[in-house]
Amino acid sequence: MATRDSLQQPTWTAVDDYLTDLLLGPDPALAAARAASAAAGLPDIAVSPPQGKMLFLLARLQGARAILEIGTLGGYSAIWLARALPPGGRLITLEADPRHAEVARANIARAGLAGAVDVRCGRALDTLPSVAKERGAEGFDLIFIDADKTGYPDYWDWALRLSHRGTLIVADNVVRDGAVADPASADASVLAVRRYHELVAAEPRVTATTIQTVGIKGYDGLSFALVVQDPAR
Ligand code: SAH
Ligand code: DHB
Ligand code: MG
C-alpha cells in the first residue's frame, strides 16, 4: 500500500493543482492566509483548495446562516465557510492553540470576514458548553469537525446536540490512509474515527456516508451526516 501511494501521490498532487488552477483560480485572500500560516510555523494541514471549495458549496446548499467549526488552525477552511454565509450569518470556530487562533484572526480579518467569524480559543470540550448555551435550541446549520482526531466521538455527541433537522455534520480525516477499515489498529486516531463511524451508524436521527479522498494531502476521507429528525434535547 505504501508503495502504491508513493507512486500515485505525484498524480494526486498534479490533479489537485490542475483543478485548483482551472476551477478556483487565483485567490489572494486564501493565498495570503496560507502564506501567513506557513510563516508563523503552523503545520500544513488545512483542507485542500478543492475541499475548501466543497465546504463553501455545502454551506451554500444548506443555506447555512450559522456554522460551527471545531479546529481552526490558520483559518483557511473558516474563510471558505464564512464566504458562504449570507449577510448577518455567523461562523463560530474553536481552536485550542492560542498561536493558531491569533494567526487565524489576522487571516480572517485580511479576508474581510472578521465581522462574520468568531474565533474562540480553548479546548473545544471546554468551550462547547458556552457555545451551546448561547445558541440555545437554534443550534447550527452546518458543523465541520476537524480538530484532534481522538476527540471525534465527543465532537459527534456535541454536534448532534447542536443540530436541528436539516443540519449537515461534516468530519475531516476519517479514513486515515485506509486504516479506518483495520479492526486490529491500535492507533488512537484510527480507533477514534472507527468509533466515530460506529456512533454515526447507530444514530437513528441521521443519514450518512463517508467518501474516500485522494489529493495533495494524500489518501483520507470525509464523513457527511444529515440530521433528518430533531435530536432530543
Ligand atoms: N480546519 C482547519 C484545519 C484544522 S487542523 C483548516 O482546514 O484550515 C486541527 C486544529 O485543531 C489545529 O489547529 C489544532 O491546534 C486544533 N486542535 C487540536 N486539539 C483541539 C481541541 N481539543 N480543541 C480545539 N482545537 C483543537
Ligand atoms: C492532521 C490534522 C488534520 O485536520 C488534517 O486534515 C491532516 C493532518 C494532523 O493532525 O496531522
Ligand atoms: Mg483535517
Side-chain angles (χ1 to χ4, degrees), residues 33-35 37-49 51 73-74 76 100 146 172-173 216-218:
R34 280 211 182 260
S37 298
L42 271 53
D44 187 18
I45 56 175
V47 295
S48 70
Q51 289 171 342
L73 191 64
Y76 182 81
H100 296 186
D146 194 21
D172 193 23
N173 314 116
I216 54 173
K217 295 184 69 184

Side-chain angles (χ1 to χ4, degrees), residues 43 45-48 55 69-78 94-97 100 122-125 127 144 146-149 155 172 217:
I45 56 175
V47 295
S48 70
L55 292 173
E69 175 179 70
I70 306 178
T72 315
L73 191 64
Y76 182 81
S77 53
L94 311 180
E95 174 53 54
D97 187 322
H100 296 186
R123 293 180 342 159
L125 290 180
T127 53
F144 179 46
D146 194 21
D148 54 311
K149 309 312 157 192
Y155 302 148
D172 193 23
K217 295 184 69 184

Side-chain angles (χ1 to χ4, degrees), residues 4-175:
R4 206 166 66 207
D5 287 355
S6 63
L7 286 173
Q8 295 190 351
Q9 183 58 59
T11 308
W12 300 342
T13 300
V15 172
D16 254 353
D17 289 346
Y18 167 77
L19 297 172
T20 300
D21 285 350
L22 196 58
L23 298 175
L24 276 58
D27 195 319
L30 287 174
R34 280 211 182 260
S37 298
L42 271 53
D44 187 18
I45 56 175
V47 295
S48 70
Q51 289 171 342
K53 182 73 178 279
M54 183 191 66
L55 292 173
F56 167 88
L57 291 171
L58 289 171
R60 277 291 167 92
L61 282 164
Q62 281 295 95
R65 302 185 55 82
I67 302 177
L68 174 67
E69 175 179 70
I70 306 178
T72 315
L73 191 64
Y76 182 81
S77 53
I79 290 171
W80 275 114
L81 288 166
R83 282 178 173 175
L85 290 167
R90 194 128 196 92
L91 165 69
I92 297 179
T93 179
L94 311 180
E95 174 53 54
D97 187 322
R99 224 165 35 90
H100 296 186
E102 191 186 311
V103 172
R105 285 192 190 103
N107 285 337
I108 289 161
R110 203 184 297 107
L113 294 162
V117 183
D118 186 355
V119 181
R120 301 266 172 105
C121 196
R123 293 180 342 159
L125 290 180
D126 296 332
T127 53
L128 279 162
S130 60
V131 171
K133 242 175 236 156
E134 284 165 45
R135 288 299 303 171
E138 267 188 290
F140 295 89
D141 310 310
L142 189 155
I143 299 174
F144 179 46
I145 299 173
D146 194 21
D148 54 311
K149 309 312 157 192
T150 52
Y152 275 32
D154 285 329
Y155 302 148
W156 171 254
D157 288 342
W158 274 105
L160 266 187
R161 204 177 312 178
L162 293 167
S163 292
H164 53 74
R165 189 158 56 84
T167 296
L168 180 67
I169 302 170
V170 181
D172 193 23
N173 314 116
V174 298
V175 169

